[in-house]
Amino acid sequence: MLSTSASLDNLIAQFSRLPGIGRKTAQRLALHVLKLSMDDVRLMSQALIDVKENVRTCSICCNITEDDPCSVCTSPKRDRRIICVVEESTDVFAIEKTNDFKGLYHVLGGRLSPLEGIGPDDLRIPELLDRTADGAEEVILAMNPHVEGEATTLYLSKLLKPLGVRVTRIARGLPVGTDLEFADNATISRALEGRIAV
Amino acid sequence: MLSTSASLDNLIAQFSRLPGIGRKTAQRLALHVLKLSMDDVRLMSQALIDVKENVRTCSICCNITEDDPCSVCTSPKRDRRIICVVEESTDVFAIEKTNDFKGLYHVLGGRLSPLEGIGPDDLRIPELLDRTADGAEEVILAMNPHVEGEATTLYLSKLLKPLGVRVTRIARGLPVGTDLEFADNATISRALEGRIAV
């Protein structure tokens, strides 16, 4: 970039560091910022600082929160006997959007991945076992449907079952709205395997 | 978004306002910001403010700059007899990257577009005429190759020619690296029309 402003070059460099933002997009975003009002830019600038200053991790479920414990863990409307285990906070957002789950969450902070050097000690597994032993009746394993997610599911289920809790996993099958014709083999195999009585 | 943090929701909303950034991308960017160090986030936050505080428009060429007049207009290495007219500052960056142009620029601030209600009064045309009358020998019209850019080129050339200046336009033709086979009709027509002696 040979812009005639060091501040603009700097902002472009800052935007470029964000994931999925290339040089051209960063340039477009920076030029857009130039067109915004000073008030709007101040709001954006402050939002960045606020998120770092206010957001922490819930000491119970390890989800993103501003108050510790988080609103899900403290809500009286939640069923404390069911714990849904997910990899990341984004998975909690995805499940919350459905409004279909009324239990508690446990964010592992990743999945077992020997290739990336992530072992059981890097995940929040002891905390999950403590919570499970503390009165849970069902633990739902909601890992992502990859090889590593499956391995994590298997590993956790072996640790959880001896605690006398019901261990379930979310279903693998055809996503709503697609055609059988276009589904991949692995998905169809799982859909057949997981068939239920009508 | 049903995240459990108002600050995070706010940052996602701020990112969503940027052009080409949808809800999902904004969420991904905001979660990435959470993982950055406080120092890095402060740098990004400050870069936004800096760009608004430091960047202004050059009083001569209307390009983006921090010092007025800009480094191009004040450079002794530049040929002051040639003025290249472009629509936006981004066009200046694009031409500067080639390192092939050693004259001055004039940023119009857009192009004639009756459909969008942009007329001659909305562009920096009087400033261009003043500069041209003030000793320029050649004015290169480097509008974008759209209908509106062509109309702007035609309009400006009619205003500039009576000033006794050489008026040129950048060539339309096949872009380097493409095949004649895949070029559109209009481009091939222009390439034929603009043929030069070998």
Side-chain angles (χ1 to χ4, degrees):
Chain A
M1 235 317 259
L2 279 161
S3 109
T4 40
S5 154
S7 304
L8 189 65
D9 282 354
N10 181 33
L11 184 60
I12 293 171
Q14 290 290 341
F15 276 133
S16 304
R17 297 176 56 199
L18 294 171
I21 306 283
R23 199 81 192 158
K24 284 257 173 182
T25 308
Q27 185 179 319
R28 195 161 42 83
L29 296 181
L31 287 166
H32 177 82
V33 168
L34 265 187
K35 288 182 192 159
L36 294 177
S37 73
M38 192 66 200
D39 286 346
D40 281 347
V41 174
R42 274 194 212 286
L43 283 177
M44 192 179 288
S45 170
Q46 193 56 45
L48 284 163
I49 300 290
D50 284 349
V51 92
K52 279 302 284 186
E53 280 183 348
N54 300 339
V55 174
R56 61 205 78 235
T57 310
C58 172
S59 58
I60 300 176
C61 69
C62 309
N63 188 19
I64 284 170
T65 181
E66 292 192 21
D67 312 300
D68 187 18
C70 74
S71 57
V72 173
C73 287
T74 53
S75 167
K77 291 179 186 164
R78 293 286 180 155
D79 186 345
R80 334 208 127 252
R81 293 165 302 175
I82 308 177
I83 298 173
C84 178
V85 184
V86 294
E87 293 176 18
E88 300 288 354
S89 295
T90 38
D91 303 327
V92 175
F93 306 157
I95 297 176
E96 280 296 281
K97 271 198 286 191
T98 66
N99 267 323
D100 272 344
F101 180 67
K102 290 297 168 209
L104 303 180
Y105 292 98
H106 188 85
V107 180
L108 277 184
R111 53 175 176 252
L112 294 177
S113 172
L115 285 176
E116 293 169 44
I118 302 171
D121 297 340
D122 302 305
L123 304 178
R124 296 177 193 121
I125 295 175
E127 292 89 337
L128 173 63
L129 299 181
D130 284 350
R131 290 182 70 191
T132 308
D134 198 28
E137 290 179 10
E138 178 173 357
V139 174
I140 304 173
L141 301 173
M143 309 296 118
N144 286 312
H146 306 136
V147 176
E148 290 153 351
E150 301 282 323
T152 311
T153 302
L154 212 68
Y155 182 84
L156 289 179
S157 69
K158 279 187 183 161
L159 289 178
L160 289 164
K161 276 179 185 163
L163 300 175
V165 72
R166 188 178 167 220
V167 182
T168 56
R169 56 185 289 167
I170 54 170
R172 312 278 185 242
L174 292 175
V176 175
T178 50
D179 283 356
L180 199 63
E181 183 184 349
F182 304 119
D184 61 291
N185 294 346
T187 300
I188 297 178
S189 300
R190 294 306 171 83
L192 284 169
E193 199 181 300
R195 66 192 181 276
I196 53 172
V198 185
Chain B
M1 232 323 257
L2 279 159
S3 108
T4 40
S5 154
S7 304
L8 189 65
D9 282 353
N10 182 33
L11 184 61
I12 293 170
Q14 290 291 340
F15 276 132
S16 305
R17 297 176 56 198
L18 294 171
I21 307 282
R23 200 81 193 158
K24 284 254 172 183
T25 309
Q27 186 178 316
R28 194 161 43 83
L29 295 180
L31 288 165
H32 178 81
V33 169
L34 265 186
K35 287 180 193 162
L36 294 176
S37 73
M38 192 64 199
D39 286 346
D40 282 346
V41 174
R42 274 193 211 286
L43 283 178
M44 191 178 292
S45 170
Q46 193 56 44
L48 284 163
I49 300 290
D50 284 349
V51 93
K52 279 303 282 185
E53 281 183 350
N54 300 340
V55 175
R56 63 205 75 236
T57 310
C58 173
S59 57
I60 300 176
C61 69
C62 310
N63 188 19
I64 284 170
T65 182
E66 291 191 20
D67 312 301
D68 187 18
C70 75
S71 57
V72 173
C73 288
T74 53
S75 167
K77 292 180 186 162
R78 293 285 180 156
D79 186 345
R80 331 208 129 251
R81 293 165 301 174
I82 308 177
I83 299 173
C84 179
V85 184
V86 294
E87 294 177 17
E88 300 286 356
S89 295
T90 39
D91 303 327
V92 175
F93 306 158
I95 297 177
E96 279 296 281
K97 272 197 288 193
T98 67
N99 266 323
D100 273 343
F101 180 66
K102 291 297 166 210
L104 303 180
Y105 292 98
H106 188 84
V107 180
L108 277 185
R111 53 177 174 251
L112 295 177
S113 173
L115 285 175
E116 292 168 46
I118 301 171
D121 296 340
D122 302 306
L123 305 178
R124 295 173 193 126
I125 296 175
E127 293 89 337
L128 174 63
L129 299 180
D130 285 349
R131 291 182 68 193
T132 307
D134 199 28
E137 291 178 9
E138 178 174 356
V139 175
I140 304 173
L141 300 174
M143 311 294 117
N144 286 311
H146 304 137
V147 176
E148 289 154 352
E150 301 283 323
T152 312
T153 301
L154 212 68
Y155 181 84
L156 289 180
S157 69
K158 281 187 182 161
L159 289 178
L160 290 164
K161 277 180 185 165
L163 300 175
V165 73
R166 185 175 169 224
V167 182
T168 56
R169 57 185 288 167
I170 54 170
R172 313 277 185 241
L174 292 174
V176 175
T178 50
D179 284 355
L180 198 63
E181 183 183 350
F182 304 120
D184 60 292
N185 293 347
T187 301
I188 297 178
S189 299
R190 295 305 171 86
L192 286 169
E193 198 180 300
R195 67 193 179 276
I196 54 172
V198 186

